[in-house]
Amino acid sequence: MIGRLSARYGPPAAAFAVFLLAWEAVVRLARLPPYVLPAPSLVATTLIADRATLFASLWVTLRTTFAALGLAIVGGSLLAILFSQWKWLERALLPFAVVLQVTPIIAIAPLLLIYLPAWGAVLSCAFFVAFFPILANFSLGLASTDRNLLDLFALYGASRRQTLVMLRLPAALPYFFAGLRIGAGLALIGAVAAELAAGASGQETGLAFRIVEAGYRLDIPRMFAALVLISLAGIAIYFSLSALAHLVLRHWHESGGV
Amino acid sequence: MSDAVVVLKDVGKTFANGTRSLAHLNLAVQAGELVTLLGPSGCGKSTTLRLLAGLETPSSGTVAVPARKPGQVGFVFQDPTLLPWATVADNVLLPLRLQKMQAAEARRRCTDVMRLVGLADFARAYPHQLSGGMRMRVSIARALAPRPRLLLMDEPFAALDEISRFRINDDLLRLKKELKTTIVFVTHSVYESVYLASRIAIMAVRPGRVTEEIAIDPPLPRGADLRTSAAFLGYCDRAMRALGRAAAEDRR
Ligand SMILES: Nc1ncnc2c1ncn2[C@@H]1O[C@H](COP(=O)(O)OP(=O)(O)OP(=O)(O)O)[C@@H](O)[C@H]1O
Ligand SMILES: [Mg+2]
């Protein structure tokens, strides 16, 4: 077990450690000033020193991300289920979803900021980007149910509801998780992008605003520290969702949920 | 003819894309028979089974399956077609659950058929943990659980190796005897066809139809050396010649 884990995670961890050490060495040997490139050690100390502000901002950003993701899961899944039951509804509504998807969210944000309070605009942006991959993947999953299994259900006189609950929904789960993983990552990106667009107009300030703010003050180490937090949050979300998918799908196949 | 489980009269099937799959197909199956449909690829064997199951409707002619109520007809597809997220037991229980059978009764039936197909110890396994042959057994158990009057099997053992196939053929004959089910069995293999059948229906292609029927009467004596016996090989020879005639008719 330990051997397998170290074989799997050893190389990337070692590569990352080497990367950090090289970075640290370059900064020290070349005597680069912190406003050009801060050493990883300085980024770490800044992260600790400014933890009160930074973590409060992280919490704001994460709250937006999770709220948007939650709404996207509910909205995307419900719509996907409705689409799978009534094809005409899909034909009627899919164009709207596609328009929302292909328009860069950062271009819609200023408009949303006019119509909505800052928190609402940020939440909407994060929601829009997370919504589509969940809808699209889940829809695909609901539409690609094994034909033979559908025949089997028809043979036994299964009702529409039985077919949906006992066959189509579970069969679409791997697709749902694939969409969820993409959607969650995009929700974080959408939240950060919308925060950048919103600037200081909100009362609560997310991590993106901290980056802009530190930029104005040429506080480069703090910019890096905020960036590190965003990346870590993204990685944590990705891996926890992968773990969840694996847990739910582990019986299907060896490759379940990876 | 009162015991007919299946009567196909002058059946034609043309698909929406214009493919003429079957034309003037006639076939009757009596209760307790095991009829094999033997014919080249594309002659409409699967289409015939799907018509019998009510999964397709004929374009012309009549399909009469008096027993056709949910649960009275079982279907074993070429692939095991199991729910990958459900245990073996839950897969076998599926048709019973769809019929909303009482849980206790369903459990009992499930245990019975699992014993019958030799899977009693694998109730809690998942399909991906089983071999191909075992998965096929699960599929058969699932089809048998509602105690169907008619069992339709579409090349169920095509993916198995010879040895597993021989064994599962014997099991099928034993199950049929115990459950007194009528079976329509599709196969490509002349040997499998002769081994299993009480009657063989030879089919020709373009359009698909039954050209000849070979009754295996009296029944071949089952035993280890049946496959090498003169009677068995004689029937194989007859079936092969009939297939040849069907193919020649096609060329004309
Ligand atoms: N849904 C469909 N739409 C159009 N054509 C079809 C459809 N199903 C079957 N066919 C056509 O009908 C013909 C008979 O098909 P069928 O699957 O019944 O043959 P088969 O005897 O089972 O062949 P095989 O031994 O390869 O399984 C083929 O030409 C096939 O292409
Ligand atoms: Mg076929």
Side-chain angles (χ1 to χ4, degrees):
Chain A
M1 186 69 187
I2 302 283
R4 252 217 342 251
L5 281 181
S6 65
R8 178 153 178 201
Y9 298 108
F16 192 62
V18 168
F19 169 72
L20 286 183
L21 284 175
W23 178 355
E24 185 82 32
V26 167
V27 172
R28 289 192 183 221
L29 293 177
R31 293 180 197 288
L32 292 176
Y35 56 83
V36 174
L37 183 66
S41 55
L42 180 59
V43 173
T45 46
T46 310
L47 193 55
I48 293 165
D50 293 353
R51 62 183 178 280
T53 325
L54 288 178
F55 277 90
S57 293
L58 173 67
W59 174 234
V60 171
T61 303
L62 282 184
R63 230 170 38 201
T64 311
T65 305
F66 287 131
L69 185 61
L71 290 174
I73 292 173
V74 174
S77 307
L78 274 182
L79 206 55
I81 292 171
L82 291 179
F83 281 2
S84 78
Q85 298 297 299
W86 293 287
K87 284 289 150 198
W88 59 267
L89 195 67
E90 174 167 9
R91 278 197 296 279
L93 294 188
L94 200 59
F96 288 95
V98 172
V99 167
L100 274 180
Q101 159 69 7
V102 297
T103 313
I105 198 66
I106 200 77
I108 311 178
L111 197 62
L112 287 173
L113 279 162
I114 293 175
Y115 291 132
L116 297 172
W119 67 267
V122 173
L123 184 64
S124 305
C125 285
F127 165 77
F128 284 138
V129 288
F131 171 77
F132 194 80
I134 293 174
L135 170 67
N137 277 277
F138 201 29
S139 274
L140 179 65
L142 288 169
S144 17
T145 316
D146 185 292
R147 278 235 58 91
N148 282 335
L149 280 171
L150 283 172
D151 282 344
L152 189 80
F153 273 62
L155 182 75
Y156 289 119
S159 67
R160 246 170 114 108
R161 203 172 138 260
Q162 283 177 321
T163 309
L164 178 67
V165 173
M166 296 169 75
L167 178 58
R168 283 189 192 274
L169 284 180
L173 268 185
Y175 294 83
F176 170 76
F177 279 111
L180 182 60
R181 226 170 334 175
I182 302 170
L186 286 179
L188 182 63
I189 294 174
V192 169
E195 278 175 7
L196 287 177
S201 55
Q203 302 97 327
E204 289 186 308
T205 41
L207 268 181
F209 179 69
R210 291 289 167 221
I211 294 179
V212 177
E213 186 191 48
Y216 287 144
R217 293 196 213 139
L218 276 182
D219 191 348
I220 311 296
R222 194 170 180 178
M223 291 178 87
F224 270 93
L227 267 180
V228 166
L229 273 188
I230 295 180
S231 306
L232 287 180
I235 293 169
I237 291 173
Y238 184 87
F239 278 106
S240 39
L241 287 179
S242 294
L244 181 67
H246 181 76
L247 196 70
V248 174
L249 305 177
R250 67 192 183 284
H251 290 310
W252 286 42
H253 197 264
E254 324 301 353
S255 74
V258 175
Chain B
M1 284 301 259
S2 60
D3 254 6
V5 177
V6 164
V7 184
L8 293 168
K9 261 203 205 113
D10 203 33
V11 166
K13 176 71 191 176
T14 306
F15 284 102
N17 65 1
T19 311
R20 202 155 154 242
S21 177
L22 298 173
H24 307 296
L25 179 134
N26 289 291
L27 181 71
V29 179
Q30 309 300 314
E33 274 193 296
L34 195 164
V35 173
T36 54
L37 302 182
L38 180 62
S41 190
C43 71
K45 304 182 293 291
S46 299
T47 307
T48 308
L49 283 198
R50 294 175 58 81
L51 283 168
L52 293 178
L55 295 171
E56 305 274 4
T57 48
S59 312
S60 60
T62 55
V63 176
V65 184
R68 197 158 72 207
K69 273 177 267 153
Q72 297 284 14
V73 178
F75 205 127
V76 179
F77 299 92
Q78 181 162 351
D79 304 312
T81 316
L82 304 175
L83 304 175
W85 56 84
T87 60
V88 166
D90 284 333
N91 266 290
V92 173
L93 282 168
L94 177 72
L96 308 179
R97 289 206 173 120
L98 289 174
Q99 286 171 249
K100 303 210 159 79
M101 184 183 283
Q102 244 197 326
E105 165 73 1
R107 290 243 153 251
R108 215 165 41 72
R109 289 247 197 132
C110 174
T111 318
D112 282 353
V113 285
M114 300 250 288
R115 186 158 346 103
L116 230 45
V117 299
L119 281 173
D121 298 334
F122 294 92
R124 311 183 70 157
Y126 284 86
H128 78 92
Q129 297 167 321
L130 305 180
S131 71
M134 287 160 86
R135 263 178 254 167
M136 214 59 230
R137 284 168 197 272
V138 179
S139 184
I140 293 171
R142 177 182 61 192
L144 293 177
R147 306 210 179 123
R149 288 188 52 199
L150 174 64
L151 183 59
L152 308 170
M153 307 180 85
D154 194 354
E155 298 186 49
F157 312 137
L160 301 187
D161 60 278
E162 288 274 89
I163 296 167
S164 320
R165 194 162 166 165
F166 287 171
R167 204 168 54 217
I168 210 166
N169 278 344
D170 285 331
D171 289 340
L172 181 65
L173 289 171
R174 179 177 53 78
L175 286 173
K176 181 180 172 301
K177 219 158 131 192
E178 283 178 40
L179 300 172
K180 303 183 176 57
T181 308
T182 309
I183 300 178
V184 180
F185 188 104
V186 164
T187 177
H188 270 127
S189 158
V190 170
Y191 300 102
E192 186 172 60
S193 186
V194 173
Y195 193 76
L196 292 174
S198 55
R199 188 154 52 96
I200 304 172
I202 306 284
M203 291 184 70
V205 75
R206 266 181 303 273
R209 64 212 182 276
V210 175
T211 53
E212 280 181 55
E213 293 184 15
I214 302 173
I216 314 274
D217 192 33
L220 293 170
R222 303 283 144 200
D225 46 5
L226 171 62
R227 285 178 204 277
T228 51
S229 73
F232 178 81
L233 294 174
Y235 275 117
C236 291
D237 187 51
R238 269 183 67 187
M240 248 169 303
R241 281 170 200 278
L243 273 178
R245 278 193 295 276
E249 216 176 287
D250 180 37
R251 244 170 272 127
R252 242 183 289 133

